Amino acid sequence: MGFLNLFHLAFLAVSFFVSGALAVFGYTTSGNNFVIDAGSSNTLVFSVSKSSCDINSIKYRGTELQYSSQGTHIGSGLGSATVSVSQINGSSAKFIKVTCVTSTLTHYMIVKEADSTIYMATYITAEPSIGELRFIARLLPDKLPSEYPYGEVSTTTGSSSTVEGSDVFVVNGQTRSKFYSSTRFIDEDSHCVYGGSDLMHVCVITPQQESSSGGPFFRDIDSNNAGSSTNLYNYMNSGHVQTESYRMGLHGPYLMTFSRSGIPTLKSVGDLSWFGELGLTGYVPDSQRGTVTGRATGIPSGFEGVGHWYNSAAQYWVKTASNGQFTSPKMKAGTYTMVLYQTEFKVAAATVTVSAGGTTTANMASTFNASHTTLFKIGEYDGQPTGFRNADKFLRMHPSDSRMSSWGPLTYTVGSSSLSDFPMAVFKSVNNPVTIKFNLGSAPSQATMLRIATTLSFAGARPQAVVNGWSAAAPAAPTKIDSRGVTRGAYRGYGEVYDVAVPAGKLVSGSNTITISALSGSSGDTFLSPNFIFDAVELFY
């Protein structure tokens, strides 16, 4: 054999080794670690501490991606856990299962042969002591500096100052925070960190959030390049604008996948029914689930119909088709509250019972009554501050950011002002009050109703209305949510709607003025002063 042929074979051998073609599926022990090899062509090898369950090394295609000072783990680390590993020969594939057990939590990490993915599920019987349930991968920022899908809005490395608390920063004159990486649960696909000359994407995908809390419109932290590490999350519950109790049981499946062929999607995950072969505590197979099917009616054109089912054990949702038809995801058997939303505005609720292996037919019809004479309406009842000033920006930046339009105080003139002349929120110490001016050809002879629909309140703020000098009764304080909202890019709370009965004679022919202010016994500086977010304002009879 000639020298050139020998050189060529040697080159090929080295190439195969670098690309991972010689990977062998299985696990070994190295010191205090279990080492798991996925046996994939693009090699994935990671190490798990036998004592803590921390992942302390992740090598993809031979490149170390794991941050060395802190592990990849549940919460801020389990501290100590009973960790075991086993190989399972399934009906169609082989699996390695790592099981980590504490007194209140069991965390599973699963590798499927030839698949560069770490599949996970987390079973809990009590809320973790840190007050939230999250998975966090702490990765190397020089290898994975960039974030998807929202880019640098949550990249806080290189910050020059802090705007708020220890989680909103200024970088190159722009406000940034890990909170600005969030996506509504119902819209979640994959969120990723990526980079390197050998371009790699590491992505988290959550096929469902049945044991999480907050419903279809909840959103939480997804990623953050913090400088020392690039962090990739799966938040299963937290106190970040918490609106319902935490759910126990099995959270998952969810997965962290490694790719050199672009961004993986939820659709690319495929069938996960093989999880039923792995002996996971709390796993409910499809055979023990049922569905709800029906038709939603009464949702006006231009709004999205959303069905939502929930009880203390699980939550599910689906977007309705253009004709209102829907079929729920496969749900655990039980009785559920069933809610219909007009985009995010609640318009109907009922109860429905789901049986294992069965299909329940249950139609939903909007009960929101719009049969009245409208004198003016600002915004739409969609459960969002859509179209209002700065509503197009606040999800990805702090309200103090220089890119924001002026918060005011603003005056909106019915018939001539644009929707963006009305603020998405009123802050007690910033833009209090908002003023509405309007003309009437004649004064109504009867009482009228001023409806102020809101999406979220902070520090007890609620709208106080004054109509042509007449002060409406102060509304009761809303249910408290002990969390910052708009400054973290959140707008979804309990969605309080305030109906103010305006007596006959308070409106006049010609020019009229209404002011709406943020009322609260609490105080605060600028954007942390009591505030509420608008959904819509309507005057009608």
Side-chain angles (χ1 to χ4, degrees):
M1 183 179 295
F3 173 78
L4 289 178
N5 286 335
L6 286 171
F7 178 82
H8 180 65
L9 289 173
F11 175 80
L12 288 175
V14 170
S15 299
F16 284 141
F17 178 77
V18 171
S19 68
L22 300 180
V24 178
F25 176 73
Y27 67 90
T28 58
T29 297
S30 177
N32 190 45
N33 299 310
F34 291 118
V35 181
I36 294 92
D37 190 327
S40 48
S41 57
N42 287 313
T43 56
L44 173 64
V45 181
F46 63 98
S47 298
V48 180
S49 168
K50 294 180 184 179
S51 58
S52 69
C53 191
D54 274 13
I55 296 177
N56 49 46
S57 174
I58 302 173
K59 291 184 178 179
Y60 180 58
R61 291 179 52 81
T63 299
E64 181 63 64
L65 301 179
Q66 175 63 43
Y67 176 51
S68 60
S69 297
Q70 286 181 282
T72 286
H73 44 220
I74 291 292
S76 295
L78 300 180
S80 63
T82 301
V83 183
S84 60
V85 63
S86 61
Q87 180 169 322
I88 299 171
N89 296 324
S91 59
S92 60
K94 295 178 180 178
F95 305 93
I96 301 296
K97 180 177 76 170
V98 178
T99 304
C100 306
V101 181
T102 73
S103 61
T104 60
L105 180 149
T106 302
H107 181 57
Y108 301 98
M109 291 176 278
I110 298 143
V111 169
K112 183 180 180 182
E113 185 176 21
D115 186 346
S116 298
T117 299
I118 303 174
Y119 296 87
M120 288 173 278
T122 309
Y123 177 82
I124 61 171
T125 58
E127 185 67 9
S129 59
I130 63 170
E132 60 186 24
L133 181 62
R134 68 178 185 185
F135 166 78
I136 174 171
R138 303 180 193 273
L139 306 171
L140 291 173
D142 61 326
K143 301 296 192 300
L144 301 164
S146 302
E147 303 176 57
Y148 172 87
Y150 302 113
E152 63 185 13
V153 297
S154 51
T155 296
T156 57
T157 183
S159 63
S160 57
S161 61
T162 302
V163 175
E164 182 179 303
S166 58
D167 50 31
V168 184
F169 303 92
V170 175
V171 181
N172 297 327
Q174 298 180 353
T175 55
R176 297 184 186 175
S177 173
K178 58 188 177 182
F179 288 96
Y180 303 151
S181 65
S182 69
T183 296
R184 302 189 309 170
F185 273 175
I186 197 170
D187 297 325
E188 274 276 14
D189 196 323
S190 62
H191 54 274
C192 313
V193 295
Y194 66 96
S197 56
D198 182 20
L199 184 62
M200 303 175 186
H201 284 82
V202 182
C203 304
V204 164
I205 301 177
T206 51
Q208 48 87 356
Q209 294 103 341
E210 68 178 2
S211 298
S212 295
S213 300
F217 314 121
F218 184 74
R219 57 200 310 138
D220 217 326
I221 302 163
D222 280 344
S223 63
N224 171 222
N225 181 340
S228 58
S229 63
T230 298
N231 304 320
L232 185 62
Y233 300 85
N234 176 31
Y235 260 88
M236 291 162 271
N237 67 44
S238 77
H240 304 150
V241 196
Q242 180 188 355
T243 57
E244 62 176 347
S245 299
Y246 299 141
R247 292 181 173 88
M248 302 297 104
L250 187 70
H251 294 254
Y254 58 98
L255 52 132
M256 180 167 65
T257 188
F258 300 76
S259 172
R260 286 187 66 246
S261 55
I263 300 167
T265 64
L266 182 58
K267 289 182 179 179
S268 69
V269 172
D271 178 32
L272 294 177
S273 61
W274 49 263
F275 260 75
E277 303 179 35
L278 304 181
L280 275 56
T281 301
Y283 182 79
V284 179
D286 287 353
S287 60
Q288 296 178 27
R289 297 171 178 265
T291 57
V292 179
T293 188
R295 184 167 180 255
T297 56
I299 302 298
S301 176
F303 293 88
E304 185 175 64
V306 175
H308 175 205
W309 298 266
Y310 65 92
N311 59 24
S312 61
Q315 59 174 5
Y316 306 94
W317 44 79
V318 70
K319 295 179 181 180
T320 65
S322 58
N323 63 357
Q325 291 296 131
F326 65 85
T327 298
S328 73
K330 293 179 180 179
M331 301 162 58
K332 297 177 183 178
T335 298
Y336 292 83
T337 297
M338 178 173 68
V339 175
L340 176 64
Y341 298 97
Q342 178 175 290
T343 305
E344 294 189 26
F345 185 74
K346 182 179 176 180
V347 293
T351 58
V352 64
T353 298
V354 175
S355 58
T359 297
T360 301
T361 299
N363 297 321
M364 295 188 283
S366 172
T367 58
F368 182 61
N369 183 9
S371 299
H372 48 240
T373 300
T374 296
L375 298 175
F376 70 75
K377 184 171 70 170
I378 306 170
E380 299 289 347
Y381 297 106
D382 59 4
Q384 303 172 340
T386 310
F388 296 143
R389 180 166 295 188
N390 293 321
D392 59 335
K393 303 180 183 73
F394 82 102
L395 290 175
R396 311 296 166 205
M397 65 184 76
H398 191 269
S400 66
D401 196 290
S402 62
R403 292 168 291 173
M404 289 280 185
S405 300
S406 171
W407 286 97
L410 299 177
T411 297
Y412 179 93
T413 301
V414 174
S416 61
S417 292
S418 64
L419 191 55
S420 62
D421 291 328
F422 195 85
M424 62 159 285
V426 173
F427 301 86
K428 186 177 179 180
S429 298
V430 175
N431 61 340
N432 211 23
V434 59
T435 300
I436 303 169
K437 292 186 176 294
F438 59 102
N439 290 313
L440 295 176
S442 60
S445 59
Q446 68 270 65
T448 56
M449 185 70 73
L450 177 65
R451 175 167 290 161
I452 306 169
T454 68
T455 71
L456 177 63
S457 167
F458 174 70
R462 62 274 196 194
Q464 170 74 67
V466 176
V467 181
N468 289 333
W470 171 78
S471 295
T479 301
K480 183 179 180 180
I481 296 177
D482 192 16
S483 172
R484 286 172 285 159
V486 64
T487 61
R488 285 176 164 178
Y491 64 89
R492 179 76 187 175
Y494 291 115
E496 291 89 354
V497 176
Y498 300 87
D499 283 343
V500 179
V502 181
K506 300 302 180 184
L507 296 175
V508 299
S509 176
S511 177
N512 293 265
T513 300
I514 294 175
T515 61
I516 301 173
S517 58
L519 173 67
S520 174
S522 300
S523 60
D525 294 330
T526 59
F527 296 104
L528 288 179
S529 63
N531 62 78
F532 63 85
I533 298 175
F534 285 108
D535 179 9
V537 178
E538 184 181 16
L539 182 66
F540 61 90
Y541 61 86

